[in-house]
């Protein structure tokens, strides 16, 4: 079923505001396969969710001729043009696959609009690596400055400092594409890149002030798709591309240490991060000791 044919999206104005993407509420109602009639449905939803005329939707009268016959009875029918935000909300409250499909479609329409309106701003995106990706140092999201700080982990913003989630999401997808290329050149390095990316991105996502969640979600959505494909293909278990006859009785951590050992700097980093809880307890004990001496 083609969403685009059933739910056309077009530009329109709400009151005196700038143009918005709108859609026909009646066509959305048809696509969602709502059992109640359109007039009852739209009136109920507007009341339930507090949608505001000329802010979330426009109403206009469409004069229909009964049975389409010349000279037949004509009556006014209320039609609604609604914003995509309102359309997404109406789609989700139906709680069915049609609603989820409609919401995904509207998000894609908004994403395309952003891309069309801001082609010159693509230069703000962190640059992807142009050369062959043969180790983790070649990946965009592992690049660091001379102080060891990650240099690409900043969300793209416009001249007003506004953050664009869609662009950040696309960056995350591109980063995962680099890992895919790395896997073709060096499976061991790709494995560790994915393993360490989970830690780096989880730590980064904790700091919501950076607004970098688009990076994380774009990367992990792509990873989830690849993972699911692998799970379906290898339901009985995982054999690493660089493994040779893995004995299930062998401890996995010990095996990986021999098959793909971490370099010294990463061992030090892993030890530092995994000792955080221990260091925190030591700090609390020392603080209590010093406080007791001052009491």
């Amino acid at each position: 079923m083609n969403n685009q044919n059933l739910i056309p999206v077009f530009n329109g104005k709400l009151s005196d505001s700038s143009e918005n993407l709108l859609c026909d509420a009646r066509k959305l109602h048809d696509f969602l396969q709502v059992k109640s009639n359109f007039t009852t449905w739209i009136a109920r939803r507007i009341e339930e969710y507090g949608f505001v005329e000329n802010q979330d939707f426009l109403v206009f009268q469409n004069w229909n001729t009964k049975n389409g016959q010349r000279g037949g009875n004509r009556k006014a029918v209320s039609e609604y043009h609604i914003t995509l935000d309102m359309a997404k909300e109406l789609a989700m409250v139906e709680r069915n696959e049609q609603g989820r499909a409609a919401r995904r479609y509207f998000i894609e329409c908004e994403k395309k609009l952003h891309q069309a309106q801001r082609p010159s701003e693509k230069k703000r995106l962190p640059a992807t690596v142009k050369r062959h990706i043969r180790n983790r140092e070649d990946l965009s999201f592992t690049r660091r400055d001379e102080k060891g700080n990650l240099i690409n982990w900043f969300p793209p913003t416009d001249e007003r400092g506004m953050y664009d989630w869609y662009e950040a999401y696309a960056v995350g997808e591109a980063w995962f594409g680099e890992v895919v290329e790395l896997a073709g050149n060096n499976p061991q390095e790709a494995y560790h890149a994915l393993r360490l990316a989970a830690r780096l991105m989880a730590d980064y996502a904790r700091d919501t002030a950076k607004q970098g969640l688009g990076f994380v979600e774009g990367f992990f959505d792509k990873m989830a798709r690849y993972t699911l494909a692998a799970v379906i293909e290898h339901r009985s278990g995982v054999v690493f591309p660089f493994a040779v006859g893995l004995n299930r009785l062998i401890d996995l951590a010990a095996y990986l240490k021999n098959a793909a050992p971490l370099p010294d700097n990463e061992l030090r980093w892993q030890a530092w991060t995994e000792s955080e809880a221990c260091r925190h307890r030591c700090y609390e004990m020392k603080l209590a000791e010093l406080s007791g001496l001052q009491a």
Side-chain angles (χ1 to χ4, degrees):
M1 185 174 291
N2 190 324
N3 296 12
Q4 189 168 5
N5 292 335
L6 294 177
I7 320 173
V9 171
F10 48 86
N11 290 321
K13 286 190 175 183
L14 296 173
S15 188
D16 296 327
S17 65
S18 59
E19 284 196 347
N20 293 269
L21 285 180
L22 306 175
C23 74
D24 188 325
R26 190 179 293 274
K27 293 187 181 296
L28 175 61
H29 171 268
D30 292 341
F31 178 78
L32 295 176
Q33 300 176 0
V34 179
K35 295 181 180 180
S36 58
N37 67 68
F38 171 73
T39 303
T40 302
W41 173 76
I42 193 66
R44 184 175 68 247
R45 291 301 190 218
I46 289 173
E47 181 180 358
E48 286 176 342
Y49 296 96
F51 295 118
V52 179
E53 186 173 357
N54 295 326
Q55 179 178 320
D56 300 304
F57 64 91
L58 293 171
V59 184
F60 61 94
Q61 302 300 315
N62 183 23
W63 289 88
N64 288 337
T65 301
K66 187 177 181 180
N67 297 327
Q69 296 176 357
R70 183 176 299 178
N73 296 328
R74 300 178 70 233
K75 66 175 183 178
V77 177
S78 294
E79 301 292 351
Y80 295 76
H81 286 172
I82 61 178
T83 64
L84 294 199
D85 283 340
M86 178 175 173
K88 286 185 289 185
E89 191 164 349
L90 291 177
M92 287 307 295
V93 297
E94 294 304 322
R95 295 183 177 86
N96 59 22
E97 184 55 39
Q98 292 294 100
R100 288 186 286 272
R103 180 178 179 275
R104 289 193 297 268
Y105 165 67
F106 290 136
I107 290 174
E108 187 63 26
C109 289
E110 291 174 324
K111 182 178 179 180
K112 289 179 180 178
L113 176 65
H114 280 288
Q115 292 172 344
Q117 288 180 338
R118 304 164 66 174
S120 62
E121 295 182 4
K122 291 300 180 184
K123 63 180 180 296
R124 294 189 290 103
L125 298 177
T128 55
V129 177
K130 302 298 183 183
R131 61 185 179 279
H132 288 298
I133 301 172
R134 301 190 182 280
N135 55 59
R136 273 168 282 164
E137 285 67 34
D138 292 334
L139 297 168
S140 295
F141 61 90
T142 62
R143 295 175 61 195
R144 298 176 182 269
D145 60 19
E146 62 279 1
K147 297 180 179 180
N149 299 315
L150 293 164
I151 62 177
N152 276 337
W153 289 69
F154 298 94
T157 56
D158 60 20
E159 63 280 358
R160 297 170 298 169
M162 299 298 292
Y163 161 70
D164 191 307
W165 184 88
Y166 292 106
E167 291 188 356
Y169 189 95
V171 171
E173 289 186 313
W175 285 353
F176 187 79
E178 293 181 4
V179 177
V180 173
E181 181 178 342
L182 175 59
N185 295 323
N186 192 325
Q188 294 96 325
E189 285 282 277
Y191 166 78
H192 287 300
L194 290 170
R195 184 176 62 82
L196 295 173
R199 187 193 72 215
L200 289 172
M201 293 186 181
D203 289 342
Y204 187 79
R206 291 193 188 102
D207 188 354
T208 55
K210 293 181 180 179
Q211 293 184 303
L213 290 177
F215 293 161
V216 177
E217 294 185 29
F219 187 95
F220 278 100
D221 178 68
K222 208 82 175 281
M223 182 188 289
R225 294 171 187 272
Y226 274 71
T227 302
L228 181 59
V231 168
I232 293 173
E233 185 69 20
H234 304 285
R235 297 187 188 185
S236 60
V238 175
V239 176
F240 291 97
F242 46 87
V244 180
L246 175 62
N247 186 337
R248 300 291 177 181
L249 299 178
I250 297 176
D251 180 73
L252 181 60
Y255 167 76
L256 289 174
K257 180 179 179 181
N258 294 323
L262 290 174
D264 183 66
N265 63 328
E266 289 198 5
L267 282 173
R268 293 176 183 275
W269 176 251
Q270 184 172 339
W272 174 258
T273 55
E274 292 182 5
S275 65
E276 181 179 0
C278 178
R279 287 184 280 113
H280 181 72
R281 288 195 298 272
C282 182
Y283 166 80
E284 294 291 343
M285 292 171 60
K286 180 58 67 174
L287 180 61
E289 177 186 336
L290 295 176
S291 298
L293 291 175
Q294 293 179 355

